[in-house]
């Protein structure tokens, strides 16, 4: 009996390498066998010579709320996050990278299915991942709403591009005025935003309108809003709430028709809790929220982004028909498993490096890792060269999930799926920030908890448990 995934969410396997096989395989039933040719109903067909006829089994685990992955005795092996899958099935988490022979895929899972927003430009918000679809839906909702909007995302995720799309969707006839709050001079930031009269301060030889009035009838985009000085935030709140500004050196209030779009690469809610940002201003500017996922949360789009940035690199240099970069499987895997702390900026740096220094031959793993700019490369276990030979007995046995070994004297720990940032933070707080106890809870090594803390940029207390500090500095 098929499981109605679409009613409560969606799960799928997105093949991302090699290019001819790129596409999504929906996981709609309780289980599906991935293989080279179609078999039983629900088969996941990946027609590649390095994929066995019955290669791997994906099965829904209702208790864990995700799928498990098991190898079906394939010739070239099954790999999860760069590690071989042997013995008992392994849990899959959202954005997990799978390898079947020379085929790479990304497992995607979301609790709620989201419809795409065709009115949002694919040039502004590209990508076919579930995360990109959800992002376009959020942009569509905020674009048609005249309320202030807050774009939240890490550095390099493309927040300014999204602000421009919000302005386009709003239909406002005025200009889009962009300013980075971190680039504003602290001594004259008030006059830069609200303007000043002649003689308001030393050097004010002429009257200046300020950014709010310059954006009249349009949109003012304040990037890095969290950098705005605390003492200036009440004036920004008045401008947003009442639609009026007072120039420096003046007592006259002037009405402005401006939609405010702000962006931040930090959590303003956390800044409010620390007293670094006004609660009332945060509530006002975040009426429409547009969370932008990092590149590591939309892995199925990563290689397409590589092609997109490579085309842009070529066009900027007069190469209109530049052929796409070709990748060895190990190179593509390294790209998918990399953390990309700089997001699209980091990928753009890699494109520039490999496009200017390498030949037309497929990129190797070493060339890709060299383009990470000194960032640590992911650790992967290198599989043996895949074979495309046909077994002497082409009739496969019916696929079965591998059975666990004989039960040991003490029960084996079952690895849980990788937690979300919120789940990990809740577990750490519940367990008193003990790395040891948290590792035991998730049935992983303590170093893995430290890696998750770093991956999610979680800030621990001043010091952790003494027993944990010795092994796992966070």
């Amino acid at each position: 009996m098929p499981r109605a995934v679409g009613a409560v969410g969606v799960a799928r396997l997105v093949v991302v390498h090699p290019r001819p096989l790129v596409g999504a395989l929906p996981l709609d039933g309780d289980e599906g066998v991935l293989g080279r040719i179609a078999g039983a109903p629900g088969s996941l067909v990946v027609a590649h010579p390095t994929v066995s006829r019955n290669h791997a089994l994906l099965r829904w685990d209702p208790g864990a709320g995700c799928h498990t992955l098991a190898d079906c005795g394939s010739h070239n092996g099954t790999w999860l996050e760069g590690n071989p899958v042997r013995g008992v099935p392994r849990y899959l988490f959202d954005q997990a990278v799978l390898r079947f022979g020379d085929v790479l895929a990304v497992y995607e899972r979301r609790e709620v299915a989201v419809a795409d927003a065709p009115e949002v430009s694919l040039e502004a918000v590209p990508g076919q991942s579930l995360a990109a679809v959800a992002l376009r839906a959020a942009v569509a909702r905020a674009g048609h709403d005249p309320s202030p909007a807050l774009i939240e995302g890490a550095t390099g995720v493309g927040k300014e591009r999204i602000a421009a799309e919000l302005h386009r969707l709003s239909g406002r006839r005025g200009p889009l005025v962009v300013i980075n709050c971190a680039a504003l001079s602290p001594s004259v930031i008030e006059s830069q935003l609200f303007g000043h009269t002649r003689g308001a301060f030393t050097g004010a030889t002429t009257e200046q309108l300020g950014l709010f009035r310059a954006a009249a009838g349009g949109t003012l985009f304040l990037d890095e809003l969290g950098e705005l000085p605390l003492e200036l935030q009440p004036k920004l709140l008045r401008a947003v709430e009442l639609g009026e500004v007072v120039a420096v050196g003046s007592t006259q209030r002037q009405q402005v028709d401006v939609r405010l779009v702000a962006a931040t690469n930090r959590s303003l809610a956390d800044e409010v809790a620390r007293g670094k940002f006004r609660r009332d201003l945060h509530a006002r500017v975040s009426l429409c929220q547009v969370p932008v996922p990092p590149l590591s949360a939309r892995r199925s789009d990563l290689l397409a982004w590589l092609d997109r940035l490579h085309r842009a690199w070529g066009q900027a240099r007069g190469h209109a028909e530049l052929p796409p970069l070709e990748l060895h499987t190990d190179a593509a895997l390294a790209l998918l498993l990399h953390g990309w702390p700089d997001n699209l900026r980091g990928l753009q740096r890699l494109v520039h490096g490999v496009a200017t220094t390498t030949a037309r031959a497929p990129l190797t793993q070493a060339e890709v890792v060299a383009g990470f700019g000194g960032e640590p490369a992911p650790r992967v276990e290198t599989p043996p060269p895949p074979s495309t030979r046909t077994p002497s007995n082409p009739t496969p046995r019916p696929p079965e999930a591998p059975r666990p070994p004989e039960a040991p004297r003490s029960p084996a720990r079952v690895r849980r799926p990788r937690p979300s940032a919120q789940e990990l933070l809740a577990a750490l707080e519940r367990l008193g920030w003990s790395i040891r106890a948290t590792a035991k809870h998730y049935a992983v090594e303590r170093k893995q908890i430290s890696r998750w803390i770093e991956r999610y940029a979680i800030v621990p207390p001043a010091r952790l448990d003494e027993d944990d500090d010795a092994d796992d500095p966070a």
Side-chain angles (χ1 to χ4, degrees), residues 177 190-196 207-215:
V177 176
E190 183 178 355
S191 68
Q192 288 174 309
L193 284 175
F194 308 121
H196 63 257
E207 180 182 358
Q208 295 293 331
L209 294 178
L211 296 172
F212 264 91
R213 284 187 283 172

Side-chain angles (χ1 to χ4, degrees), residues 380-391:
V380 298
E381 187 173 334
T382 304
S387 170
T388 58
R389 67 179 177 84
T390 302

Side-chain angles (χ1 to χ4, degrees), residues 427-429 431-440 449 464-465 468:
L428 285 165
E429 292 176 343
L431 297 171
W433 287 90
S434 168
I435 297 293
R436 184 188 301 275
T438 308
K440 184 177 180 181
I449 300 298
L464 303 179
D465 290 351
D468 294 332

Side-chain angles (χ1 to χ4, degrees), residues 24 53 116 128 159 170 233 252 358 389 418 465 469:
R53 180 175 294 186
D116 209 338
Q128 298 302 321
K159 296 188 288 292
S170 73
Q233 292 176 21
Q252 300 296 317
T358 59
R389 67 179 177 84
R418 185 180 69 186
D465 290 351
D469 287 341

Side-chain angles (χ1 to χ4, degrees), residues 87-455:
V88 298
R90 298 283 299 279
Y91 285 114
L92 296 181
F93 53 85
D94 181 46
Q95 302 304 308
V97 177
L98 285 64
R99 179 171 183 170
F100 313 98
D102 268 350
V103 174
L104 301 178
V106 176
Y107 174 78
E108 293 187 331
R109 165 77 180 149
R110 292 184 75 86
E111 294 299 325
V112 179
V114 178
D116 209 338
E119 65 270 35
V120 178
S121 167
L122 287 175
E123 286 296 313
V125 191
Q128 298 302 321
S129 65
L130 296 181
V133 170
L135 175 57
R136 283 194 290 272
V139 169
R141 289 192 298 271
H144 299 304
D145 192 320
S147 304
L150 180 62
I151 305 171
E152 299 175 291
T155 180
V157 295
K159 296 188 288 292
E160 185 172 339
R161 184 193 300 266
I162 291 173
E165 182 64 5
L166 291 177
H167 175 65
R168 185 189 72 83
L169 291 171
S170 73
R172 297 180 67 86
R173 296 181 179 275
L176 170 66
V177 176
V178 179
I179 189 66
N180 189 321
C181 293
L184 294 173
S185 170
S187 59
V188 294
I189 187 172
E190 183 178 355
S191 68
Q192 288 174 309
L193 284 175
F194 308 121
H196 63 257
T197 62
R198 180 180 178 182
F201 51 83
T202 302
T205 57
T206 61
E207 180 182 358
Q208 295 293 331
L209 294 178
L211 296 172
F212 264 91
R213 284 187 283 172
T219 302
L220 177 60
F221 174 48
L222 296 181
D223 199 6
E224 305 304 346
L225 181 64
E227 301 293 335
L228 195 68
L230 190 62
E231 62 272 15
L232 195 60
Q233 292 176 21
K235 296 185 178 181
L236 178 60
L237 177 61
R238 169 176 287 274
V240 176
E241 270 193 333
L242 303 179
E244 61 182 33
V245 298
V246 179
V248 176
S250 173
T251 59
Q252 300 296 317
R253 299 175 180 177
Q254 299 189 25
Q255 293 294 314
V256 289
D257 174 22
V258 173
R259 187 200 183 181
L260 181 73
V261 174
T264 177
N265 64 1
R266 62 178 72 175
S267 170
L268 290 188
D270 290 345
E271 295 294 286
V272 169
R274 287 195 286 263
K276 300 293 186 181
F277 200 85
R278 290 181 62 99
R279 184 178 301 275
D280 49 5
L281 179 58
H282 175 243
R284 189 71 177 123
V285 300
S286 61
L287 290 179
C288 295
Q289 292 181 299
V290 182
V292 186
L295 204 54
S296 58
R298 33 180 168 159
R299 280 172 157 176
S300 63
D301 290 331
L302 198 148
L303 299 184
W305 265 110
L306 181 76
D307 288 343
R308 179 186 179 87
L309 294 175
H310 184 239
R311 284 196 303 271
W313 181 91
Q315 290 168 359
R317 290 155 180 78
H319 306 302
E321 300 296 331
L322 196 65
L325 293 170
E326 295 297 333
L327 302 165
H328 282 292
T329 305
D330 290 341
L333 180 63
L335 287 170
L336 293 170
L337 293 180
H338 188 48
W340 298 109
D342 294 329
N343 292 289
L344 294 175
R345 291 196 184 106
L347 190 59
Q348 193 170 33
R349 180 180 60 209
L350 180 140
V351 167
H352 180 80
V354 299
T356 55
T357 61
T358 59
R360 297 295 183 204
L363 292 173
T364 65
Q365 183 180 17
E367 290 171 328
V368 164
V369 170
F372 288 164
E375 297 164 4
R379 297 179 181 178
V380 298
E381 187 173 334
T382 304
S387 170
T388 58
R389 67 179 177 84
T390 302
S392 56
N393 182 8
T395 303
R397 295 177 297 175
E400 296 181 357
R403 296 182 178 180
E406 293 282 330
R409 293 180 181 177
S410 59
R413 297 189 300 177
V414 179
R415 295 191 64 178
R416 300 171 181 260
R418 185 180 69 186
S420 65
Q422 293 81 4
E423 292 169 343
L424 178 60
L425 182 59
L428 285 165
E429 292 176 343
R430 186 175 67 253
L431 297 171
W433 287 90
S434 168
I435 297 293
R436 184 188 301 275
T438 308
K440 184 177 180 181
H441 173 71
Y442 285 107
V444 297
E445 295 181 359
R446 282 175 281 170
K447 290 182 178 180
Q448 182 61 62
I449 300 298
S450 297
R451 284 194 288 267
W452 286 345
I453 290 174
E454 182 178 358
R455 179 188 185 96

